[in-house]
Amino acid sequence: ETGVTQTPRHLVMGMTNKKSLKCEQHLGHNAMYWYKQSAKKPLELMFVYNFKEQTENNSVPSRFSPECPNSSHLFLHLHTLQPEDSALYLCASSQGGTTWEQYFGPGTRLTVT
Amino acid sequence: AQTVTQSQPEMSVQEAETVTLSCTYDTSESNYYLFWYKQPPSRQMILVIRQEAYKQQNATENRFSVNFQKAAKSFSLKISDSQLGDTAMYFCAFMKPGSNQFYFGTGTSLTVIP
């Protein structure tokens, strides 16, 4: 596969469940990002990893826990979520340097019931 | 903190016509990057065009061009000869080099009418 892939594409979970979102990039990039996309709101940057080190955490609730085992993989672990956490979660990667272009995955549509 | 404003939630254009999407931003930085991203229905977000703030010349990519007004903090996207495949959400984004922080607007939903 090429580009940025995300699994699963759709997820329905109860408020007491624990689940994980997976992102993989096949571009050789060194930075990876998690975004939350909700209707009529700007994309919210949640976490940033640069060379596997977390560099940004934009006041995200602790029920979201990121993990970056290597530069190609990024996880978002979810537990005890709230209905307002329902959204499209996008993963992106970038090379950095002089272009800073981000490549996005297709997203995981999360519904919390 | 930087903010990005897209004041047009929805727009439509006739096929083959030209449309301009507006974007304004607020920053105290002098060097930064601006982007327009396109998100087609149920498809991945892709980069349309990029502008470095230190470059005075407006960026162009085929039918897509920008009008970058640094003093006014304005960054509009012009789509010429609109095609049905241009139907999508368009997001304006701001980024300060080296910060790993990207700021997005709320998006403009563009519909190209056949």
Side-chain angles (χ1 to χ4, degrees):
Chain A
E1 292 199 59
T2 59
V4 181
T5 58
Q6 290 185 243
T7 55
R9 295 293 306 276
H10 300 273
L11 178 62
V12 179
M13 60 185 289
M15 294 169 60
T16 58
N17 291 158
K18 289 185 179 181
K19 297 286 185 182
S20 296
L21 310 185
K22 179 182 176 182
C23 175
E24 185 173 359
Q25 59 99 354
H26 310 268
L27 301 168
H29 290 166
N30 52 36
M32 297 187 75
Y33 312 76
W34 278 118
Y35 285 90
K36 176 183 179 182
Q37 184 177 18
S38 305
K40 302 188 189 314
K41 296 177 66 176
L43 261 69
E44 299 174 47
L45 181 61
M46 301 174 69
F47 301 104
V48 182
Y49 279 82
N50 201 13
F51 291 104
K52 302 188 302 178
E53 298 297 322
Q54 184 173 316
T55 59
E56 303 291 342
N57 176 348
N58 290 344
S59 303
V60 180
S62 59
R63 56 186 184 269
F64 295 91
S65 174
E67 178 188 1
C68 189
N70 54 60
S71 294
S72 299
H73 294 85
L74 184 65
F75 295 89
L76 187 63
H77 303 300
L78 318 171
H79 63 96
T80 60
L81 294 190
Q82 304 298 311
E84 60 265 28
D85 297 323
S86 298
L88 182 68
Y89 288 84
L90 296 172
C91 174
S93 70
S94 70
Q95 180 58 35
T98 59
T99 65
W100 294 100
E101 175 181 349
Q102 289 189 311
Y103 291 77
F104 284 83
T108 295
R109 173 66 64 185
L110 174 66
T111 303
V112 181
T113 60
Chain B
Q2 278 65 224
T3 59
V4 178
T5 302
Q6 294 180 249
S7 58
Q8 306 151 314
E10 296 180 357
M11 294 190 71
S12 61
V13 62
Q14 290 289 140
E15 193 175 5
E17 296 295 308
T18 296
V19 64
T20 299
L21 310 183
S22 66
C23 172
T24 58
Y25 57 94
D26 186 23
T27 183
S28 59
E29 303 292 334
S30 59
N31 188 30
Y32 47 86
Y33 291 96
L34 295 165
F35 307 85
W36 277 101
Y37 280 89
K38 169 185 177 181
Q39 188 178 38
S42 301
R43 295 183 64 184
Q44 288 173 244
M45 193 173 317
I46 57 173
L47 179 69
V48 175
I49 200 165
R50 175 183 63 242
Q51 175 82 40
E52 291 91 338
Y54 62 86
K55 290 186 177 179
Q56 294 185 341
Q57 186 173 6
N58 289 324
T60 62
E61 287 289 340
N62 300 315
R63 297 183 295 107
F64 299 87
S65 62
V66 299
N67 183 3
F68 174 47
Q69 302 289 328
K70 191 172 184 179
K73 298 180 182 176
S74 171
F75 182 61
S76 61
L77 174 69
K78 185 172 82 171
I79 306 174
S80 304
D81 186 27
S82 297
Q83 301 176 0
L84 297 180
D86 295 333
T87 292
M89 281 289 289
Y90 287 82
F91 294 93
C92 178
F94 170 102
M95 184 265 181
K96 176 187 172 185
S99 71
N100 284 323
Q101 285 278 14
F102 287 78
Y103 299 88
F104 283 78
T106 51
T108 295
S109 177
L110 176 68
T111 301
V112 179
I113 302 168

